[in-house]
Amino acid sequence: MIFLIEYNRREGRIVTFRDFADSQRREAEDLRLDIELVLNHKGVDHEVVLLEAENEDALRRTHQRYFKDLRQILRSSSSVISD
Amino acid sequence: MLEDYRRSFGEAYEAVIRTIRQRGEFPTGRLAKSTRSIVEKLGRESIRLSQMQDIAGCRVVVANIMQQEQFVASLKTDFVGASVIDRRDKPSYGYRAVHIIAMISGKPVEIQVRTSLQHRWAELSEKSSDVLDPTIKYGGGPAELRRILTKSSEEVASYEVLEATHHKFETECSEVVKSKEEAVAAHEKSKKAVAKLLKRHLPDHEVRRIQGKMQGSTRELVLLEQDVAELQGNVEDLTRKMVRLWNLNADLLAKAISWLDKLKGKKQ
């Protein structure tokens, strides 16, 4: 699956989250570009990224920073051994 | 133009993902780096766009350092001539991982291979950079947080050294246990054979020879038992060290939470 994430780094939160089937790559890339152009036009400093993962759970495991706050990441870091 | 350039990595990226999946791993792929990240990196590292090796890439998180070694070795076989950037012994501001740069039809694709612990540390550093100070990832930011991150990275490194040694001892121990079991079985078989022989009223010198052999076999068993006990002791000792180290790291991260609370208190 393909996931489009628009992320506000400073606030550490997701602004836009969309998923696409693997066959919709072109559509996902076009949307990423559209969002980037709009943000650029408005002078908004957000990160827009396309990621591909087996499923959303896998994405959440490998890219926690988009989904968890700092405190949650700290907590999960200290409990990683029992995972 | 940038979009065309990014899209030109599509085939190379696909080839890398396919190969990794054939190895039984399911990486999370980044089809192409975001414009913001590209612009930031170009500014930070004074390189040209064509020199950037991580326009397309993917990340694989494995359970531990042994699996990381194994997986990196398999990638070196899959992508002959790939560059290997090992940041485990020489971390980049605390960041530890192995990055493989595979070249497919002249296009570089970066494969990040992290252990679960390395990954958690990296997420912590990245998130801190996002919400507290973007320079944290590059050695800047509040001194207290930097100290905690650096120390935590060192502790993860020490933990992984212990983990690898622990694995080595465990493997050795299971091999010695197997040898011991085989020796015990052989010894029991010999004992039965000797008992039968002794019933045949053999000459004294022959009886002494057979009994001597049995005593030798018993001594070997005792030595093997001592080896097993020693190795098991080493494994237990290492386990205790790993737990101690892990508790230290948990304390450190708890300090980071307190530090965050204080920071929040100051801001309010």
Side-chain angles (χ1 to χ4, degrees):
Chain A
M1 285 183 86
I2 295 170
F3 300 92
L4 182 145
I5 296 174
E6 178 192 346
Y7 177 68
N8 181 331
R9 275 195 199 168
R10 197 163 298 175
E11 293 177 9
R13 64 178 180 87
I14 287 177
V15 180
T16 307
F17 183 80
R18 285 273 308 269
D19 60 68
F20 298 85
D22 290 338
S23 57
Q24 294 175 293
R25 173 176 297 190
R26 188 81 198 186
E27 199 182 324
E29 285 176 339
D30 288 346
L31 182 60
R32 193 258 317 266
L33 186 60
D34 287 348
I35 293 176
E36 279 193 336
L37 290 172
V38 169
L39 291 174
N40 193 38
H41 182 70
K42 288 183 183 170
V44 177
D45 189 17
H46 288 174
E47 177 182 336
V48 188
V49 67
L50 276 185
L51 296 167
E52 187 181 29
E54 197 183 3
N55 51 46
E56 195 178 319
D57 283 346
L59 176 73
R60 284 174 180 269
R61 273 196 299 277
T62 55
H63 289 76
Q64 283 183 61
R65 67 180 259 260
Y66 294 126
F67 302 96
K68 289 184 177 176
D69 65 28
L70 186 52
R71 188 178 297 267
Q72 288 170 322
I73 290 179
L74 273 165
R75 287 217 179 93
S76 63
S77 294
S78 59
S79 65
V80 68
I81 266 181
S82 55
D83 280 4
Chain B
M1 239 171 75
L2 175 62
E3 190 57 16
D4 290 341
Y5 184 69
R6 276 196 293 220
R7 287 184 193 195
S8 71
F9 284 76
E11 278 181 31
Y13 164 84
E14 279 299 329
V16 167
I17 296 291
R18 245 191 334 268
T19 306
I20 294 177
R21 283 188 180 160
Q22 280 164 4
R23 287 276 180 191
E25 291 287 347
F26 288 89
T28 298
R30 193 190 56 224
L31 299 163
K33 209 172 177 71
S34 71
T35 304
R36 179 185 163 150
S37 299
I38 291 174
V39 170
E40 281 176 354
K41 192 164 185 172
L42 288 173
R44 200 172 52 240
E45 298 184 10
S46 55
I47 52 170
R48 288 194 302 274
L49 185 60
S50 59
Q51 291 172 300
M52 214 176 263
Q53 296 188 310
D54 58 347
I55 293 284
C58 63
R59 179 178 297 166
V60 178
V61 180
V62 296
N64 53 42
I65 197 96
M66 289 74 72
Q67 284 189 16
Q68 187 179 41
E69 285 292 335
Q70 240 172 9
F71 190 59
V72 166
S74 67
L75 290 177
K76 285 184 193 169
T77 313
D78 291 335
F79 304 106
V80 177
S83 319
V84 179
I85 303 164
D86 192 338
R87 293 204 173 106
R88 292 175 300 182
D89 293 333
K90 287 183 183 168
S92 169
Y93 306 107
Y95 175 68
R96 297 174 61 252
V98 182
H99 289 193
I100 311 275
I101 314 293
M103 289 298 283
I104 311 287
S105 310
K107 298 281 183 193
V109 178
E110 181 190 74
I111 308 159
Q112 298 177 353
V113 187
R114 297 175 177 175
T115 64
S116 187
L117 292 179
Q118 291 163 7
H119 175 58
R120 296 292 174 109
W121 187 93
E123 293 269 24
L124 185 56
S125 167
E126 281 174 18
K127 190 76 189 188
S128 303
S129 295
D130 288 344
V131 297
L132 297 174
D133 185 332
T135 65
I136 287 173
K137 270 204 306 189
Y138 308 104
E144 178 61 5
L145 185 62
R146 274 257 40 95
R147 190 191 67 78
I148 290 172
L149 283 171
T150 305
K151 183 82 183 138
S152 175
S153 169
E154 287 166 2
E155 283 176 357
V156 168
S158 302
Y159 184 90
E160 289 186 334
V161 169
L162 290 180
E163 190 179 43
T165 314
H166 187 273
H167 175 73
K168 190 175 150 253
F169 279 150
E170 261 190 343
T171 309
E172 276 179 30
C173 194
S174 60
E175 280 166 10
V176 176
V177 165
K178 200 178 159 200
S179 304
K180 194 192 105 181
E181 283 166 0
E182 284 167 4
V184 167
H187 184 75
E188 288 305 315
K189 208 173 160 187
S190 301
K191 259 166 70 178
K192 282 180 191 163
V194 166
K196 269 187 192 172
L197 275 174
L198 293 179
K199 278 182 191 164
R200 291 187 190 169
H201 305 293
L202 296 168
D204 283 353
H205 72 274
E206 193 61 18
V207 170
R208 277 197 297 278
R209 193 185 65 79
I210 292 168
Q211 283 173 338
K213 270 185 118 178
M214 284 308 293
Q215 279 166 358
S217 162
T218 308
R219 273 197 298 275
E220 271 177 36
L221 276 183
V222 171
L223 287 175
L224 274 169
E225 265 167 28
Q226 283 171 354
D227 283 352
V228 170
E230 191 184 331
L231 280 166
Q232 279 172 341
N234 285 342
V235 169
E236 282 164 19
D237 187 38
L238 276 168
T239 307
R240 277 193 295 273
K241 280 184 184 162
M242 285 164 78
V243 170
R244 263 205 305 275
L245 194 57
W246 189 254
N247 287 337
L248 277 175
N249 200 252
D251 289 347
L252 197 63
L253 297 175
K255 277 183 191 161
I257 294 178
S258 307
W259 179 83
L260 265 181
D261 288 341
K262 276 186 203 160
L263 192 72
K264 204 177 165 191
K266 275 183 195 167
K267 278 185 181 172
Q268 279 171 351

